[in-house]
């Protein structure tokens, strides 16, 4: 489940916020220990509710099904529910303002990385890999001790949505044919046949300069409507989850007829959650597997595929975007682009790179226009592959299959 409604008034709520996966794993273990649950009950709570925020959330959701409280622009909103007994932060995407907001409520703001202390933090409990479980227990106890100190009215919004997640590169292969016959060729076949027009990665942050989640959702819905399957990570994945796009039922509601048919047949959502913002490499692994499976060219740059970060904010979005571009992917960012002051460099990144490496950057702040540009790029690649014309579906009988096998044998 995802959104602030996953917090529980009668439980000790701990928000795990940040990016490093090791300590969250240990907090997950510590919070389930019977003596810890008993300790929480002794303080008047029913138990301990963990909820994630930002990419620690994606890690815990993917691996353990821990619910997500929200993405980047919801971190202060979580505290003002009055129900968060501790917010545990490590590195990246933690707003400095958290300390001030936490002071207005009872929330303990616990920093855990010596490189990312916050002025005004409630306490600093540094993570040490050699004693990770003891440190996790200390953090969970700090939260439990804080449960009786709630002093504001608890107001948890009644908003949460179920999600189907966990689409690693390996899981997608399994879903496309099981553990023995799993292959990305099933996806390629649907792309070649035109039921799936192409593949898009929509990833990245929220940005204070855009309406929260709006660009992610407008872009994703435009792509789905045009039969483009969407792979998501990071805060984009959470935006999709809150909108109900990470459920198989979303296929009928939002997709064109071809993509809806494929999703219904396989039983998958049309938007696949592939992990945190540092898991974008999984999308490239899936792209490489499509190339290897055959029928869609010989390089990632041949695929009818595109990438986007419509609300990007973090510097690392640029480096992630650049490894997509140099791997051969057309990648469009929203909001703004840091090189536009230099015409020569921007020209090279937006045009010159395509000739050298097949991929290129683009900038388009309007998410629907950006989606249309991605679809135009996908169509350009479909035309280059010769799969741009709708093909009639032919049902092969045994005689036709034997003929094909004989022809294939002769070729070999
Ligand atoms: S997607 Fe961006 S805003 Fe969200 S957690 Fe990752 S770096 Fe932070």
């Amino acid at each position: 489940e995802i959104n602030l409604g996953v917090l529980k008034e009668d439980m000790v709520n701990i928000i795990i916020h940040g990016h490093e996966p090791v300590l969250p794993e240990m907090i997950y273990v510590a919070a389930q220990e019977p003596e810890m649950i008993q300790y929480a009950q002794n303080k008047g709570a029913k138990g301990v509710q963990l909820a994630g925020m930002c990419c620690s959330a994606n890690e815990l959701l993917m691996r353990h099904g821990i619910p997500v409280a929200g993405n980047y622009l919801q971190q202060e909103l979580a505290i003002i529910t009055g129900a968060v007994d501790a917010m545990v932060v490590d590195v990246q995407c933690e707003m400095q303002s958290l300390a001030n907001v936490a002071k207005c409520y009872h929330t303990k703001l616990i920093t855990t990385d010596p490189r990312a202390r916050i002025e005004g933090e409630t306490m600093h409990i540094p993570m040490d890999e050699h004693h990770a479980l003891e440190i996790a227990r200390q953090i969970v106890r700090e939260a439990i001790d804080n449960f009786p100190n709630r002093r504001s009215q608890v107001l948890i919004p009644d908003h949460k949505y179920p999600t189907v997640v966990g689409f690693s590169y390996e899981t997608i292969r399994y879903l496309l044919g099981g553990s023995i016959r799993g292959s990305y060729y099933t996806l390629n076949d649907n792309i070649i046949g035109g039921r799936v027009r192409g593949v898009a990665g929509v990833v990245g942050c929220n940005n204070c300069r855009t309406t929260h989640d709006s660009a992610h959702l407008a872009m994703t819905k435009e792509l789905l409507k045009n039969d483009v399957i969407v792979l998501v990570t990071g805060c984009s994945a959470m935006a999709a989850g809150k909108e109900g796009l990470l459920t198989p039922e979303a296929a009928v509601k939002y997709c064109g007829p071809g993509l809806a048919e494929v999703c219904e047949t396989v039983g998958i959502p049309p938007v696949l959650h592939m992990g945190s913002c540092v898991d974008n490499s999984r999308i490239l692994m899936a792209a490489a597997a499509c190339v290897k499976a055959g029928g869609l060219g010989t390089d990632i740059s041949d695929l009818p595929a595109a990438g986007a970060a419509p609300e990007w904010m973090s510097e690392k979005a640029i480096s992630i975007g650049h490894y997509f571009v140099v791997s051969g992917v057309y990648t469009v960012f929203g909001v703004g682009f840091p090189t536009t002051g230099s015409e020569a460099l921007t020209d090279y990144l937006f045009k010159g790179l395509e000739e050298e490496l097949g991929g290129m950057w683009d900038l388009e702040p309007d998410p629907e226009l950006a989606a249309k540009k991605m679809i135009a790029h996908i169509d350009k690649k479909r035309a280059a592959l010769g799969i741009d014309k709708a093909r009639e579906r032919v049902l092969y009988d045994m005689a036709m299959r034997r003929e094909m096998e004989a022809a294939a044998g002769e070729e070999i």
Side-chain angles (χ1 to χ4, degrees):
E1 289 184 332
I2 182 163
N3 217 339
L4 290 171
V6 304
L7 299 173
K8 299 209 168 64
E9 183 164 4
D10 51 8
M11 309 265 278
V12 175
N13 291 298
I14 305 177
I15 299 262
I16 301 174
H17 175 17
H19 287 78
E20 307 274 9
V22 180
L23 185 58
E25 283 287 322
M26 291 297 101
I27 292 176
Y28 165 73
V29 172
Q32 291 182 81
E33 291 177 333
E35 50 276 28
M36 204 59 90
I37 294 168
Q38 186 59 56
Y39 188 57
Q41 287 168 349
N42 294 345
K43 299 277 179 178
K46 280 198 178 150
V48 179
Q49 174 67 52
L50 298 183
M53 184 143 275
C54 280
C55 280
S56 293
N58 283 324
E59 301 281 359
L60 283 168
L61 178 69
M62 287 279 282
R63 294 194 170 91
H64 303 296
I66 297 291
V68 174
N71 52 5
Y72 174 67
L73 283 181
Q74 285 176 286
Q75 51 191 291
E76 292 165 315
L77 301 180
I79 294 177
I80 66 173
T81 60
V84 176
D85 303 297
M87 182 176 272
V88 187
V89 303
D90 50 44
V91 293
Q92 291 183 9
C93 304
E94 287 93 26
M95 294 177 176
Q96 292 294 303
S97 59
L98 285 178
N100 283 340
V101 181
K103 274 185 194 142
C104 299
Y105 294 81
H106 78 299
T107 306
K108 285 182 181 171
L109 177 65
I110 305 175
T111 60
T112 57
D113 192 307
R115 297 166 300 176
R117 304 281 299 266
I118 295 179
E119 203 177 327
E121 66 201 13
T122 315
M123 63 186 67
H124 179 62
I125 303 178
M127 167 59 176
D128 169 4
E129 283 79 4
H130 302 290
H131 304 98
L133 187 55
E134 291 101 281
I135 289 165
R137 286 186 184 127
Q138 187 189 348
I139 288 170
V140 175
R141 271 194 295 269
E142 286 289 350
I144 294 173
D145 288 340
N146 205 22
F147 180 77
N149 299 333
R150 288 186 187 177
R151 56 177 190 260
S152 314
Q153 191 186 356
V154 170
L155 289 168
I156 300 172
D158 187 22
H159 292 296
K160 59 180 174 179
Y161 217 99
T163 56
V164 179
V165 301
F167 294 96
S168 64
Y169 151 81
E170 294 84 356
T171 308
I172 295 176
R173 190 180 54 189
Y174 173 76
L175 287 168
L176 291 172
S179 50
I180 297 169
R181 299 178 58 198
S183 159
Y184 275 71
Y185 189 76
T186 315
L187 174 61
N188 288 13
D189 191 41
N190 279 298
I191 294 173
I192 294 164
R195 285 182 289 280
V196 177
R197 190 164 175 174
V199 181
V202 180
V203 306
C205 319
N206 291 143
N207 192 306
C208 299
R209 293 176 188 160
T210 61
T211 306
H212 186 202
D213 293 340
S214 63
H216 290 296
L217 297 178
M219 174 178 281
T220 301
K221 287 178 185 174
E222 184 66 26
L223 291 164
L224 296 181
K225 200 167 77 186
N226 286 283
D227 290 314
V228 176
I229 192 165
V230 179
L231 313 178
V232 287
T233 61
C235 287
S236 184
M238 298 183 232
K242 284 181 281 175
E243 189 73 358
L245 299 176
L246 302 183
T247 58
E249 293 75 25
V252 182
K253 193 167 171 194
Y254 294 102
C255 299
L259 179 58
E261 184 191 333
V262 172
C263 291
E264 280 190 298
T265 308
V266 185
I268 53 171
V271 180
L272 302 181
H273 185 312
M274 293 193 78
S276 72
C277 53
V278 289
D279 287 327
N280 285 309
S281 46
R282 287 183 179 148
I283 298 180
L284 280 185
M285 284 169 72
C290 282
V291 176
K292 269 196 216 153
L296 290 176
T298 55
D299 187 77
I300 288 177
S301 62
D302 296 331
L303 295 174
E311 299 181 28
W312 79 279
M313 166 281 297
S314 169
E315 307 86 342
K316 78 175 174 228
I318 291 286
S319 42
I320 293 170
H322 201 62
Y323 78 63
F324 268 71
V325 169
V326 298
S327 300
V329 182
Y330 167 76
T331 304
V332 56
F333 272 31
V335 190
F337 200 77
T339 68
T340 47
S342 163
E343 208 176 309
L345 178 58
T346 306
D347 257 15
Y348 174 64
L349 294 172
F350 285 38
K351 293 181 192 135
L353 269 179
E354 190 181 21
E355 283 160 34
E356 287 176 28
L357 299 163
M360 61 175 162
W361 282 99
D362 203 353
L363 166 67
E364 178 49 70
D366 180 322
E368 279 182 26
L369 279 184
K372 288 189 168 77
K373 284 180 162 191
M374 293 163 82
I375 294 164
H377 180 82
I378 284 168
D379 287 347
K380 184 173 96 177
K381 294 296 171 182
R382 292 187 66 87
L385 290 164
I387 56 170
D388 51 332
K389 311 273 182 311
R391 291 189 317 177
E392 258 189 51
R393 292 169 79 176
V394 180
L395 286 175
Y396 285 82
D397 61 20
M398 279 314 288
M400 289 161 86
R401 281 176 194 279
R402 279 192 208 109
E403 228 172 82
M404 278 170 64
E405 276 168 21
E410 274 166 30
E411 270 175 36
I412 291 164

